[in-house]
Amino acid sequence: MSKETIISVDKVHVSFWQNNVGVHSIKDLITYRKSPFTNKTILNNISVEVNKGESLGILGRNGSGKSTLLRTIAGIIKPDEGKVTVKGTFAPILAIGAGLEQELTGYENITLLLALYGTARKNTNAVENIREFSELSDEVLRMPVKQYSSGMVARLAFSISLANESDILIIDEVLAVGDQGFQAKCLEKIYKIKNEGKTILFVSHFPDDVAKICNKAILLEHGELIHSGNSLDVCNHYRQLF
Ligand SMILES: Nc1ncnc2c1ncn2[C@@H]1O[C@H](COP(=O)(O)OP(=O)(O)O)[C@@H](O)[C@H]1O
Ligand SMILES: [Mg+2]
């Protein structure tokens, strides 16, 4: 395996301003007097490197900062401190319920995302490949995504992610809501992509899957990186959280 570093996250800190005192209007603001905003740290001093062809598992409880880390790596969120360097292209990040336009139909979402990521120009069979992998019927794909069950959304999201010929595949928990048959099919496909030498960032609540897919992993807790290293070891630490 080549040792070329494709993703480097160096001492990254991300915070958000939060209004958690219920100040929602100018009148509230005047009567409240103080600033209603507090700064909340979401990621604190995170460093991790991923080499070309490696698969990194990202584990942690809900709210520990996994999706924020993926968004920071993808350049959607700018860190307040630290540096992210990426040498490669991404597939769209389609987490559960994020990344798909609810008002658009399945087909419209496919067309939009393929156009955004330039896949349609390179692969004219992309729409057909997505339809086939998702096993969603023509009728379903003509419906707005807001009418889909969570399993149908997962099928569409995952199939679109796979259709992209990008260097880095990002999977953010999309497998969690698929049925078992579809999950198994997706894992097989991820495994194949891994063996083709692509780089994978894999967020999952199933340590067994992370151990199977990823050579290394990190464990986040309240935005801190509490373990990193060999995926089997990190998965064991994750299991001990519960
Ligand atoms: N845009 C945002 N503004 C304010 N807080 C956010 C935003 N996005 C995420 N958060 C907060 O950041 C924390 C980590 O969220 P997230 O990265 O989605 O965690 P995970 O993917 O591990 O479940 C949560 O407490 C969440 O409420
Ligand atoms: Mg998340």
Side-chain angles (χ1 to χ4, degrees), residues 52-78:
K52 190 161 191 279
E54 274 189 326
S55 308
L56 175 75
I58 303 172
L59 291 158
R61 298 177 214 255
N62 290 333
S64 57
K66 304 180 296 296
S67 298
T68 306
L69 178 60
L70 290 182
R71 282 189 222 120
T72 310
I73 292 174
I76 301 167
I77 296 172
K78 200 172 170 301

Side-chain angles (χ1 to χ4, degrees), residues 105-163:
T105 67
Y107 277 130
E108 286 165 346
N109 269 287
I110 294 173
T111 314
L112 180 68
L113 284 162
L114 289 180
L116 268 178
Y117 288 87
T119 310
R121 268 178 283 128
K122 287 179 249 154
N123 181 0
T124 45
N125 291 330
V127 178
E128 185 49 30
N129 293 347
I130 292 169
R131 196 191 59 75
E132 199 181 301
F133 192 87
S134 72
E135 297 167 16
L136 295 172
S137 69
D138 200 50
E139 193 191 339
V140 166
L141 288 169
R142 287 178 199 284
M143 285 171 11
V145 165
K146 65 180 177 193
Q147 291 175 12
Y148 285 23
S149 69
S150 56
M152 284 150 85
V153 170
R155 280 171 179 269
L156 181 60
F158 195 77
S159 308
I160 295 176
S161 307
L162 290 180

Side-chain angles (χ1 to χ4, degrees), residues 59 207-208 210-211 217 230-240:
L59 291 158
D208 291 346
V210 172
N230 173 294
S231 64
L232 287 174
D233 295 339
V234 177
C235 287
N236 283 334
H237 285 293
Y238 174 70
R239 287 191 190 95
Q240 284 162 21

Side-chain angles (χ1 to χ4, degrees), residues 13 15 39 48 65 96 98 115 120 144 155 186 206 211 222:
H13 186 274
S15 62
N39 193 262
V48 62
I96 299 171
R155 280 171 179 269
C186 289
F206 305 113
H222 305 302

Side-chain angles (χ1 to χ4, degrees), residues 201-242:
L201 303 181
F202 187 56
V203 172
S204 167
H205 280 297
F206 305 113
D208 291 346
D209 292 349
V210 172
K212 244 183 271 166
I213 301 280
C214 304
N215 58 312
K216 63 185 198 183
I218 57 174
L219 175 56
L220 299 180
E221 176 86 323
H222 305 302
E224 310 262 348
L225 197 159
I226 58 168
H227 288 288
S228 84
N230 173 294
S231 64
L232 287 174
D233 295 339
V234 177
C235 287
N236 283 334
H237 285 293
Y238 174 70
R239 287 191 190 95
Q240 284 162 21
L241 288 182
F242 303 98

Side-chain angles (χ1 to χ4, degrees), residues 133 158 162 171 175 180-194 202 204 206 208-210 212-213:
F133 192 87
F158 195 77
L162 290 180
I171 299 154
L175 292 184
Q180 266 191 10
F182 190 67
Q183 274 177 22
K185 178 172 152 177
C186 289
L187 280 176
E188 208 173 291
K189 180 79 181 177
I190 297 170
Y191 213 73
K192 205 170 141 232
I193 290 173
K194 172 194 156 93
F202 187 56
S204 167
F206 305 113
D208 291 346
D209 292 349
V210 172
K212 244 183 271 166
I213 301 280

